[in-house]
């Protein structure tokens, strides 16, 4: 039985899956199996996976999303420990050995993750130590930090002052992941299903963070169509509302997040010239945070003419000349 099962969900990733697999096969820690779940790819992903030799098993399912693919891999895993790896990311050769050594030194650990280096589509490093770089204090500030600036972030509160655990950085006990219930397949595409799962999991076990970049995380340009991402964010907030029903501090945190969500939709509808929808979203934002100064600003903006209206006025003025 392998000590570690590496689970790789893959969908139309023929460009990167080879690099991901090679990074696992080059690990200095050797006691692992690789479980690839091809989530209904229509390109050559499966062919590339099958071209590799080693402890690799590839399973194929209809396209159901990253959450369902990871859950299938989790059900097929044989190791006591599970390492997650997205098909477009890659590991440094010491990733598993560093985490296994940490677990040996801290045997009470059931979940450990690390920092990341951000890479582009050509595997060039864009930013090193991304998760800890944002926490470093600059040597000089023109103004002292206000109390508002020092307020903990949403991620920091959820994960007890630690950065977000990107899936490709995670090594965790398989029984812990199963006890947490797995990833929620209701989340479409590959947005926020990991956040929701880890928010559930941290209520069961402490997460240990290694401030060392052991993973190369590939950043992609954001999609033009943001509708699915917005829908998943709303599902996340709804799920956290049920999860944190007994936590007053986090319930207040969610109130702010709901307000920001509807404020963002208000702004988008304003720019699109849809004043009716913008007004509805604005009322929702005010319902969650009626005392916010941002709400007052949005109220003023809401009744200003938008760009489309100003353009129409300009066209009429030019025609009348």
């Amino acid at each position: 039985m392998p000590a570690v099962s590496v689970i790789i969900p893959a969908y139309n990733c023929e460009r990167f899956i080879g690099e991901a697999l090679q990074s696992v096969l080059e690990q200095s820690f050797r006691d692992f199996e690789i479980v690839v779940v091809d989530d209904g790819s229509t390109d050559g992903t499966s062919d590339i996976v099958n071209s590799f030799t080693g402890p690799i098993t590839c399973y194929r399912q209809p396209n159901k999303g990253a959450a369902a693919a990871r859950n299938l891999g989790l059900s097929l895993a044989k190791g006591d420990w599970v390492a997650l790896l997205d098909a477009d990311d890659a590991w440094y050769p010491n990733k598993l050995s560093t985490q296994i050594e940490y677990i040996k030194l801290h045997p009470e650990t059931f979940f450990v993750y690390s920092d990341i280096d951000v890479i582009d589509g050509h595997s060039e490093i864009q930013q090193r130590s991304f998760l800890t770089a944002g926490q470093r204090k600059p040597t000089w500030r023109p103004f002292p930090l206000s109390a508002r600036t020092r307020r903990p972030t949403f991620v920091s509160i959820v994960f007890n002052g630690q950065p977000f655990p990107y899936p490709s950085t995670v090594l965790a006990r398989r029984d812990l992941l199963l006890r947490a219930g797995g990833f929620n397949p209701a989340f479409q595409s590959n947005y926020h299903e990991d956040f929701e799962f880890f928010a559930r999991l941290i209520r069961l076990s402490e997460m240990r963070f290694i401030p060392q970049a052991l993973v190369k995380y590939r950043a992609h340009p954001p999609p033009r169509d943001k509708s699915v991402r917005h829908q998943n964010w709303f599902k996340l907030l709804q799920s956290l509302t049920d999860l944190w029903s007994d936590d007053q501090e986090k319930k207040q945190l969610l109130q702010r997040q709901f307000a920001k969500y509807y404020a963002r939709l208000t702004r988008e509808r304003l720019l699109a010239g849809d004043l009716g929808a913008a007004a509805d979203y604005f009322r929702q934002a005010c319902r969650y945070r009626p005392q916010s100064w941002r709400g007052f600003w949005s109220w003023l903006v809401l009744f200003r003419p938008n760009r489309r209206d100003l353009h129409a006025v300009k066209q009429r003025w030019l025609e009348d000349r």
Side-chain angles (χ1 to χ4, degrees), residues 27-29 93-103 112 171 210 212 214:
Q27 290 295 297
S28 56
F29 179 85
N94 64 332
K95 193 267 187 187
L96 287 180
S97 62
T98 301
Q99 293 181 320
I100 292 295
E101 185 63 27
Y102 183 93
I103 291 167
V112 62
L171 177 67
I210 299 176
Q212 176 183 351
L214 302 175

Short mmCIF file of all heavy atoms in Angstrom, two decimals, residues 27-29 93-103 112 171 210 212 214:
data_model
loop_
_atom_site.label_atom_id
_atom_site.label_comp_id
_atom_site.label_asym_id
_atom_site.label_seq_id
_atom_site.Cartn_x
_atom_site.Cartn_y
_atom_site.Cartn_z
N GLN A 27 9.78 13.31 -7.63
CA GLN A 27 9.83 13.57 -6.20
C GLN A 27 10.93 12.74 -5.53
O GLN A 27 11.15 11.58 -5.86
CB GLN A 27 8.49 13.23 -5.55
CG GLN A 27 7.36 14.18 -5.90
CD GLN A 27 7.61 15.58 -5.38
OE1 GLN A 27 7.69 15.81 -4.17
NE2 GLN A 27 7.71 16.54 -6.29
N SER A 28 11.60 13.36 -4.57
CA SER A 28 12.62 12.63 -3.81
C SER A 28 11.97 11.60 -2.88
O SER A 28 12.59 10.59 -2.57
CB SER A 28 13.48 13.61 -3.01
OG SER A 28 12.68 14.42 -2.16
N PHE A 29 10.74 11.85 -2.45
CA PHE A 29 9.96 10.86 -1.70
C PHE A 29 9.27 9.96 -2.71
O PHE A 29 8.54 10.44 -3.59
CB PHE A 29 8.95 11.56 -0.80
CG PHE A 29 8.08 10.63 0.00
CD1 PHE A 29 8.52 10.11 1.20
CD2 PHE A 29 6.83 10.26 -0.46
CE1 PHE A 29 7.72 9.25 1.94
CE2 PHE A 29 6.02 9.39 0.27
CZ PHE A 29 6.48 8.88 1.48
N PRO A 93 10.77 19.16 -6.57
CA PRO A 93 11.12 17.78 -6.23
C PRO A 93 11.07 17.44 -4.74
O PRO A 93 10.90 16.28 -4.37
CB PRO A 93 12.56 17.63 -6.76
CG PRO A 93 12.64 18.63 -7.87
CD PRO A 93 11.80 19.79 -7.42
N ASN A 94 11.19 18.44 -3.88
CA ASN A 94 11.18 18.18 -2.44
C ASN A 94 9.82 18.41 -1.80
O ASN A 94 9.73 18.48 -0.56
CB ASN A 94 12.22 19.06 -1.75
CG ASN A 94 11.90 20.55 -1.89
OD1 ASN A 94 11.27 20.96 -2.85
ND2 ASN A 94 12.36 21.35 -0.94
N LYS A 95 8.78 18.52 -2.58
CA LYS A 95 7.47 18.85 -2.02
C LYS A 95 7.01 17.80 -1.02
O LYS A 95 6.72 18.10 0.16
CB LYS A 95 6.46 18.99 -3.16
CG LYS A 95 5.13 19.64 -2.75
CD LYS A 95 4.06 18.67 -2.35
CE LYS A 95 2.73 19.36 -2.13
NZ LYS A 95 1.70 18.46 -1.58
N LEU A 96 6.89 16.57 -1.45
CA LEU A 96 6.39 15.53 -0.56
C LEU A 96 7.36 15.24 0.59
O LEU A 96 6.93 15.05 1.73
CB LEU A 96 6.12 14.24 -1.35
CG LEU A 96 4.90 14.24 -2.27
CD1 LEU A 96 4.77 12.90 -2.99
CD2 LEU A 96 3.62 14.56 -1.50
N SER A 97 8.65 15.19 0.31
CA SER A 97 9.61 14.87 1.36
C SER A 97 9.60 15.93 2.46
O SER A 97 9.70 15.60 3.65
CB SER A 97 11.02 14.74 0.77
OG SER A 97 11.44 15.96 0.18
N THR A 98 9.46 17.20 2.09
CA THR A 98 9.41 18.27 3.10
C THR A 98 8.18 18.13 3.98
O THR A 98 8.26 18.28 5.21
CB THR A 98 9.42 19.65 2.41
OG1 THR A 98 10.61 19.79 1.62
CG2 THR A 98 9.36 20.77 3.44
N GLN A 99 7.05 17.84 3.38
CA GLN A 99 5.82 17.71 4.15
C GLN A 99 5.81 16.44 5.01
O GLN A 99 5.33 16.46 6.14
CB GLN A 99 4.62 17.76 3.21
CG GLN A 99 4.44 19.12 2.56
CD GLN A 99 3.22 19.19 1.64
OE1 GLN A 99 2.92 18.25 0.92
NE2 GLN A 99 2.53 20.32 1.69
N ILE A 100 6.32 15.35 4.47
CA ILE A 100 6.40 14.12 5.25
C ILE A 100 7.32 14.31 6.46
O ILE A 100 7.03 13.85 7.57
CB ILE A 100 6.88 12.96 4.38
CG1 ILE A 100 5.83 12.60 3.32
CG2 ILE A 100 7.23 11.74 5.22
CD1 ILE A 100 4.54 12.05 3.88
N GLU A 101 8.43 15.00 6.26
CA GLU A 101 9.35 15.26 7.36
C GLU A 101 8.69 16.14 8.42
O GLU A 101 8.88 15.93 9.63
CB GLU A 101 10.62 15.94 6.83
CG GLU A 101 11.70 16.16 7.88
CD GLU A 101 12.22 14.87 8.46
OE1 GLU A 101 12.18 13.83 7.76
OE2 GLU A 101 12.68 14.89 9.62
N TYR A 102 7.90 17.11 7.99
CA TYR A 102 7.18 17.96 8.93
C TYR A 102 6.21 17.11 9.76
O TYR A 102 6.09 17.31 10.99
CB TYR A 102 6.42 19.05 8.18
CG TYR A 102 5.69 20.02 9.08
CD1 TYR A 102 6.29 21.20 9.49
CD2 TYR A 102 4.40 19.75 9.52
CE1 TYR A 102 5.62 22.08 10.32
CE2 TYR A 102 3.72 20.62 10.34
CZ TYR A 102 4.33 21.79 10.75
OH TYR A 102 3.67 22.66 11.59
N ILE A 103 5.52 16.19 9.11
CA ILE A 103 4.57 15.35 9.83
C ILE A 103 5.28 14.46 10.84
O ILE A 103 4.78 14.23 11.94
CB ILE A 103 3.77 14.50 8.81
CG1 ILE A 103 2.84 15.41 7.99
CG2 ILE A 103 2.96 13.42 9.51
CD1 ILE A 103 2.24 14.74 6.79
N VAL A 112 -1.44 19.58 6.18
CA VAL A 112 -0.33 20.49 6.04
C VAL A 112 -0.31 21.03 4.60
O VAL A 112 -0.65 20.30 3.66
CB VAL A 112 1.02 19.80 6.39
CG1 VAL A 112 1.31 18.63 5.45
CG2 VAL A 112 2.18 20.79 6.38
N LEU A 171 -1.34 18.30 1.68
CA LEU A 171 -1.14 16.90 2.03
C LEU A 171 -1.95 16.65 3.29
O LEU A 171 -1.73 17.33 4.31
CB LEU A 171 0.33 16.58 2.26
CG LEU A 171 0.65 15.15 2.72
CD1 LEU A 171 0.33 14.16 1.60
CD2 LEU A 171 2.10 15.01 3.15
N ILE A 210 3.43 25.59 5.96
CA ILE A 210 4.88 25.63 5.81
C ILE A 210 5.22 26.84 4.94
O ILE A 210 4.86 26.87 3.77
CB ILE A 210 5.42 24.35 5.16
CG1 ILE A 210 5.09 23.13 6.02
CG2 ILE A 210 6.93 24.44 4.93
CD1 ILE A 210 5.51 21.81 5.41
N GLN A 212 7.22 27.89 2.88
CA GLN A 212 8.23 27.59 1.87
C GLN A 212 7.52 27.20 0.59
O GLN A 212 6.57 26.41 0.60
CB GLN A 212 9.12 26.43 2.34
CG GLN A 212 10.16 25.98 1.32
CD GLN A 212 10.95 24.78 1.82
OE1 GLN A 212 10.85 24.37 2.98
NE2 GLN A 212 11.74 24.19 0.94
N LEU A 214 6.71 25.19 -2.26
CA LEU A 214 6.94 23.82 -2.70
C LEU A 214 6.17 23.50 -3.98
O LEU A 214 6.30 22.41 -4.52
CB LEU A 214 6.52 22.84 -1.60
CG LEU A 214 7.22 22.99 -0.25
CD1 LEU A 214 6.61 22.03 0.77
CD2 LEU A 214 8.71 22.76 -0.39
#
